[in-house]
Amino acid sequence: MEGAHPLIMKRLAEINFDKNIGYGHDHYCEMAREKIARACKAPDARVHFLVGGTQTNAIVIDSILRHNEGVVSPNTGHICTHEAGAIEACGHKVLPMDCKEGKISAQALAQYLKEATSEDYGMEHVVEPRMVYISNPTEYGTIYTLSELYEIRKVCNKYNQMLYIDGARLGYALTAPDNDVTLPDLARLCDAFYIGGTKVGALFGEAVVVLNKDIKMSKGSIKNRGALLAKGWLLGLQFDTLFTDDLYLKIAKNGVDQAMRIRKAIEAKGYPIYLDSTTNQQFVVFEDSKVAELAKYVGFNFIEKVGANHSVVRFATSWATTDEQVDELLSHL
């Protein structure tokens, strides 16, 4: 809901009249790629900059799958619920599976893939799963532990699946108080993932980190889908700024810290927490009358009904959320 971190705005203004070569061939993009690869401890990683998450997911998935192949996703995953059929528009089916609080377990994934790849299943007649998509944090603010990701990777290896992580809010996962996953861990365990800038301090933009050499993602494939920004340096400069002096993680931590303030106060006031999120999204159960009252003063998302007279709502903080904004919310509780 905000623009961008002041350091990004300052640098954009400073180079506004500079002449830069387009389409990601500029030195700002090159510096950003080097810093991201270094942060991931993956010198051979290929880094691509795109404008938004939907384009990113569609192009990465399309770069991996053949026409008869699909992508396994939690049934709450963003590609299942909030991307207007972008994956299917590329000719690939999203294969939803049950999850718990936005997360899939390695055990459930193994059972799903065992059945879906069985010769008895009639593989020549159905869409064949070829990759696994998860979000970290999930759409419910929950995060995967390092051991959970290791187990999912093992299942992917067993069933010849690519593993791709949607990192639209990745900064808030990496700075969660109970997180034990790092960027180098993701680089070791994933075939590709992306670092979300749009939701974590950038004016716009996502950085795709491709680790598997078999993934045929290039500027040409991005251009083919209409997603190659002509003024590519606007993306490179933003990520160069975010990955200088750990700015990305420093500002993401503010979103988590403010969300934890909200959660602590809500619990103290006796409102039920709907699920255990330690990131910037907090889900709370209120009586419907309280929801209507809060809506007069506070912006939030309605998620779902719980019983006849209660609803789940979502409060989301960000890198830019202030103490004063949190104080105002808490005053209405």
Side-chain angles (χ1 to χ4, degrees):
M1 296 180 75
E2 302 89 3
H5 190 275
L7 284 177
I8 287 177
M9 299 301 287
K10 179 174 181 289
R11 290 193 71 194
L12 287 171
E14 288 172 350
I15 71 159
N16 191 45
F17 290 105
D18 291 356
K19 310 297 185 191
N20 289 287
I21 191 169
Y23 303 103
H25 294 287
D26 60 279
H27 69 285
Y28 296 110
C29 284
E30 190 55 39
M31 289 191 298
R33 290 187 189 100
E34 291 176 0
K35 289 179 180 178
I36 290 171
R38 188 159 56 246
C40 294
K41 296 183 179 179
D44 295 328
R46 290 171 287 146
V47 180
H48 300 280
F49 300 111
L50 288 95
V51 172
T54 299
Q55 302 98 313
T56 299
N57 287 334
I59 291 168
V60 172
I61 291 170
D62 190 45
S63 298
I64 291 173
L65 300 181
R66 295 193 296 254
H67 289 300
N68 65 313
E69 295 174 334
V71 52
V72 178
S73 168
N75 56 16
T76 58
H78 209 268
I79 61 172
C80 277
T81 59
H82 282 89
E83 295 190 354
I87 309 306
E88 288 85 353
C90 293
H92 307 292
K93 187 176 180 64
V94 177
L95 304 168
M97 62 173 288
D98 292 339
C99 63
K100 182 179 180 182
E101 297 181 350
K103 294 169 61 176
I104 58 174
S105 68
Q107 294 83 359
L109 178 63
Q111 183 61 35
Y112 181 94
L113 291 172
K114 180 181 179 181
E115 295 175 1
T117 59
S118 169
E119 288 298 325
D120 296 334
Y121 204 63
M123 288 306 301
E124 68 271 23
H125 301 297
V126 298
V127 174
E128 181 179 353
R130 181 68 177 93
M131 68 180 295
V132 174
Y133 164 100
I134 58 177
S135 305
N136 195 39
T138 70
E139 291 71 19
Y140 283 91
T142 51
I143 60 174
Y144 287 89
T145 66
L146 184 57
S147 63
E148 288 172 332
L149 291 178
Y150 268 118
E151 292 304 311
I152 289 173
R153 177 73 260 181
K154 286 166 61 177
V155 173
C156 289
N157 289 345
K158 180 177 180 179
Y159 290 97
N160 193 30
Q161 302 290 307
M162 296 274 193
L163 178 59
Y164 169 56
I165 292 185
D166 181 327
R169 299 179 177 90
L170 184 59
Y172 303 122
L174 296 176
T175 55
D178 55 342
N179 173 63
D180 63 350
V181 176
T182 65
L183 282 172
D185 291 328
L186 294 178
R188 285 195 301 272
L189 294 170
C190 297
D191 295 286
F193 68 95
Y194 83 82
I195 301 166
T198 298
K199 289 183 169 69
V200 192
L203 193 60
F204 54 85
E206 329 298 333
V208 182
V209 184
V210 180
L211 291 313
N212 191 317
K213 295 179 180 179
D214 291 333
I215 297 177
K216 307 302 182 185
M217 185 174 176
S218 65
K219 285 190 177 71
S221 62
I222 297 170
K223 176 79 170 184
N224 179 262
R225 292 296 180 184
L228 187 64
L229 186 65
K231 297 182 180 181
W233 69 87
L234 296 177
L235 291 165
L237 181 140
Q238 292 185 78
F239 278 95
D240 181 64
T241 304
L242 289 172
F243 277 80
T244 298
D245 298 328
D246 289 329
L247 181 64
Y248 186 73
L249 295 180
K250 289 175 182 176
I251 64 175
K253 188 175 185 301
N254 176 71
V256 172
D257 290 345
Q258 298 290 11
M260 293 302 100
R261 283 188 62 210
I262 292 171
R263 175 170 174 165
K264 183 178 179 181
I266 283 174
E267 289 177 322
K269 292 174 183 291
Y271 296 108
I273 297 295
Y274 185 58
L275 52 79
D276 184 21
S277 166
T278 57
T279 61
N280 72 311
Q281 301 178 80
Q282 296 298 313
F283 297 80
V284 190
V285 179
F286 290 116
E287 290 185 3
D288 290 339
S289 59
K290 187 64 178 179
V291 174
E293 180 185 345
L294 280 173
K296 299 175 183 177
Y297 309 103
V298 179
F300 54 84
N301 296 114
F302 167 82
I303 301 300
E304 61 186 65
K305 290 284 294 180
V306 179
N309 302 309
H310 290 77
S311 297
V312 179
V313 304
R314 180 186 74 156
F315 298 111
T317 56
S318 83
W319 61 275
T321 300
T322 65
D323 290 340
E324 291 76 17
Q325 290 167 341
V326 173
D327 291 341
E328 182 178 353
L329 164 63
L330 300 183
S331 74
H332 293 299
L333 299 179

